[in-house]
Amino acid sequence: MFEALSSKLNGVFDRLRRRGALSEADVNEALREVRVALLEADVALPVVKDLTTKVRERAVGVEVLKSVSPAQQVIKIVNDALVEALGGGEGDSGARGLDLNAPSPVPILMVGLQGSGKTTTSGKIALRLKNREKKKVLLASLDVHRPAAQLQLETLAKQVGVASLPIVAGETPLQIAARAMDLGRRELFDVVVLDTAGRLAIDEALMDEVAQVKAATRPHETLLVVDAMTGQDAVNTARAFQDKVGVSGIVMTRIDGDARGGAALSMRAVTGAPIKLLGAGEKLDALEDFHPDRIAGRILGM
Amino acid sequence: FRKRRLDEEALEELEETLIAADLGVAAARRIVEGFRKTRFGKEVTDEEVKAALAEEIAAILAPVAAPMPLEPARAPHVVLVVGVNGTGKTTTIAKLGQQYREGGLRCAFVAGDTFRAAAVEQLQIWGDRTGARVHAPAKEGADAAGLAFDALTAARADGTQVLLVDTAGRLHNKSALMEELRKVIRVIKRVEPEAPHSVLLVLDATTGQNALQQVKVFKEMVDVTGLAVTKLDGSAKGGVVVALAQEFGLPVHFVGVGEKAGDLRPFEARDYARGLVGLA
Ligand SMILES: Nc1nc2c(ncn2[C@@H]2O[C@H](COP(=O)(O)OP(=O)(O)OP(=O)(O)O)[C@@H](O)[C@H]2O)c(=O)[nH]1
Ligand SMILES: Nc1nc2c(ncn2[C@@H]2O[C@H](COP(=O)(O)OP(=O)(O)OP(=O)(O)O)[C@@H](O)[C@H]2O)c(=O)[nH]1
Ligand SMILES: [K+]
Ligand SMILES: [Mg+2]
Ligand SMILES: [Mg+2]
């Protein structure tokens, strides 16, 4: 795919056969191909527009070098803009992963659409915190909607070797959250992961419910879990979760697939929240750190 | 409504509406090009444009809108349900079970996801709610193919008319997992060479352009006979289905519009097309 973009841009510049500096017309021609490449990678349209505007500003007037083709020069500018938009490049603080810098027990709230990978990621986070940071982790499922959701998390807790909140039938998510935090305090847990039911961004009642859970537990991290295969709707989802719940970080799952993952860019652009972790498989150890340059390359098809 | 001229700018806006609905650049362009030929320069209202666009899209979708053929007399008609992780396979089985039972058919489920935590229990609860017998593995991590073999054998003996086989979610680019799915089919064929009679691929409407790759590989690997599109009750429009219709022509049987057993509808080309362009 990266090959595809390179060869398309080469085609553009061959046709133009320009020397000297890149004119606005040259750049616009090239940006048409860039736009298509980004859209094919599922970057959301408004985000594509912002990005191409930025690239236009930087590319127009750039001297064409002897050593590199103009296509490669434009690709580098696009790539750099992408890396920056993903939180890398110059302004990058280098801080990755979860922020646990708060009084124990530190609540982490998992939110997102149905089936995005929240419960599995909860298990993965528990495993990572237990092994790497020697934390005492409690897993609690607030999902009273999906059949066997609480049992799913309890099973994962056993596989990981961490505690899970005993299941009590008939409680509301808010009651479960209160019980989880209470147990977390009494038994001196370092971290309490609150897994929630999947919900649609347009489901007012369920969005209110999770906002209430958030207000009651004051999580130090609120992680929006999104599927790497997500299409243009990523902007709507991200905006709704940011507005109604507030998001401190993004976890993108299923990067073990072959989706280009443009949703990462859309989500990051809309929420301003960093991408903190990547899900790279169904197994509990398949959790990776996020590297802006790698995802940028993936979006461009490298 | 105000009329405006359908000029280049208006056409570009239309293309963007379609792209934002996940049709993809190529399909969006093809549709807008067709539109340019017939209507360019005309004075039209927004509503008229949308309605006309919906008609154009409905014409693309109409050939793939078809119910899933079902022959209960096969006792059982075997439906294998496949797809990538988390799309809604298990829930769709519950919905189908409910629908068929309401139609007076005897259904059973096979809990073929022996891998994911509590996947069996999830289907068991749906079986209880919808009145379907659930064939579950004897122990955790059991072989899905072996379970399917036993379940089909039992279903033939007990007069089950529709046997819905759940499978673990798997990414199409993982060849070992796709091979495992082929093995399930081979073993089913040992009991009944004509089975599975349907292979239903479940797609999530939130998915973007990767759905093309999913359909391509699942079709090649396991002879998908039709599609279901879930989660259309959300803000995602599921426009990639238009590109899928043009590229593969596989029938689309169902849409999922919620998390309850009753939330399954037939795929209707016209309704779907109107949803895509933002007409209720
Ligand atoms: N391949 C792959 N599969 C994943 C990944 N993360 C989760 N899954 C799978 O995705 C499916 C759904 O995961 P869940 O953790 O149940 O998703 P969820 O968001 O909790 O779902 P709901 O609670 O129903 O909203 C399961 O089959 C998981 O095994 C990942 O990074 N890669
Ligand atoms: N809103 C909505 N949610 C749905 C729909 N269909 C399924 N879901 C939800 O999506 C999530 C995943 O559904 P499952 O049926 O477990 O998906 P699956 O494909 O079996 O998942 P794996 O077995 O883990 O691969 C659950 O929370 C379901 O309730 C739908 O049509 N609309
Ligand atoms: K919708
Ligand atoms: Mg869950
Ligand atoms: Mg399932």
Side-chain angles (χ1 to χ4, degrees), chain A residues 118-119 143 146 149 152 195-196 198:
Chain A
K118 296 172 293 300
T119 305
D143 185 349
R146 169 173 167 170
Q152 182 188 358
D195 179 27
T196 64

Side-chain angles (χ1 to χ4, degrees), chain A residues 2-23:
Chain A
F2 177 63
E3 294 303 315
L5 180 60
S6 295
S7 70
K8 275 186 188 151
L9 289 184
N10 277 328
V12 168
F13 287 108
D14 280 351
R15 221 167 37 243
L16 298 167
R17 247 178 290 166
R18 295 274 318 172
R19 270 171 289 125
L22 295 176
S23 72

Side-chain angles (χ1 to χ4, degrees), chain A residues 49 114 146 232 256 258, chain B residues 22 116 172 174 210 259:
Chain A
K49 286 184 178 175
Q114 285 91 349
R146 169 173 167 170
Q232 297 285 318
D256 47 327
D258 57 5
Chain B
D22 281 321
R116 210 208 61 216
H172 51 282
K174 298 200 169 172
N210 191 247
E259 300 187 74

Side-chain angles (χ1 to χ4, degrees), chain A residues 90-146:
Chain A
E90 297 234 326
D92 189 359
S93 65
R96 298 274 186 271
L98 301 174
D99 175 8
L100 299 177
N101 199 1
S104 298
V106 183
I108 300 178
L109 183 65
M110 311 292 289
V111 300
L113 298 181
Q114 285 91 349
S116 61
K118 296 172 293 300
T119 305
T120 309
T121 305
S122 300
K124 290 177 180 179
I125 286 175
L127 180 68
R128 169 178 282 227
L129 294 181
K130 172 185 171 237
N131 286 354
R132 286 203 195 172
E133 311 197 17
K134 308 291 171 229
K135 298 283 188 193
K136 186 177 169 193
V137 182
L138 175 65
L139 286 173
S141 168
L142 280 52
D143 185 349
V144 297
H145 295 279
R146 169 173 167 170

